[in-house]
């Protein structure tokens, strides 16, 4: 897949270590895991009511 768009994220040391461990265990790249997570999020939110906030933001770990 030729990529024309790039996204950069900052992870804590713990998050980066967990991501690397998961990538090694599943034998995939960290980039693949990131793309999969983004695609899953887009699929889930496609069916959500657009007037409601994302449940992962209102109760999630990420910063806004």
């Amino acid at each position: 897949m030729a990529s024309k768009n790039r996204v950069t994220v900052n992870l804590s040391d713990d998050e980066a270590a967990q991501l690397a461990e998961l990538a090694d265990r599943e034998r995939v790249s960290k980039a693949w895991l990131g793309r999969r997570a983004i695609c899953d999020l887009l699929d889930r939110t496609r069916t959500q009511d657009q007037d409601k906030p994302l449940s992962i933001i209102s109760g999630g770990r990420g910063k806004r």
Side-chain angles (χ1 to χ4, degrees), residues 11-50:
L11 301 174
S12 68
D13 291 342
D14 186 51
E15 291 166 337
Q18 288 180 53
L19 183 63
E21 182 180 317
L22 179 60
D24 288 344
R25 184 173 66 236
E26 299 297 324
R27 295 189 171 127
V28 296
S29 69
K30 292 181 281 186
W32 187 92
L33 289 171
R35 283 190 300 274
R36 183 72 256 151
I38 291 168
C39 289
D40 287 349
L41 174 64
L42 294 174
D43 287 343
R44 284 198 329 256
T45 58
R46 197 170 284 124
T47 59
Q48 280 187 347
D49 184 348
Q50 297 299 316

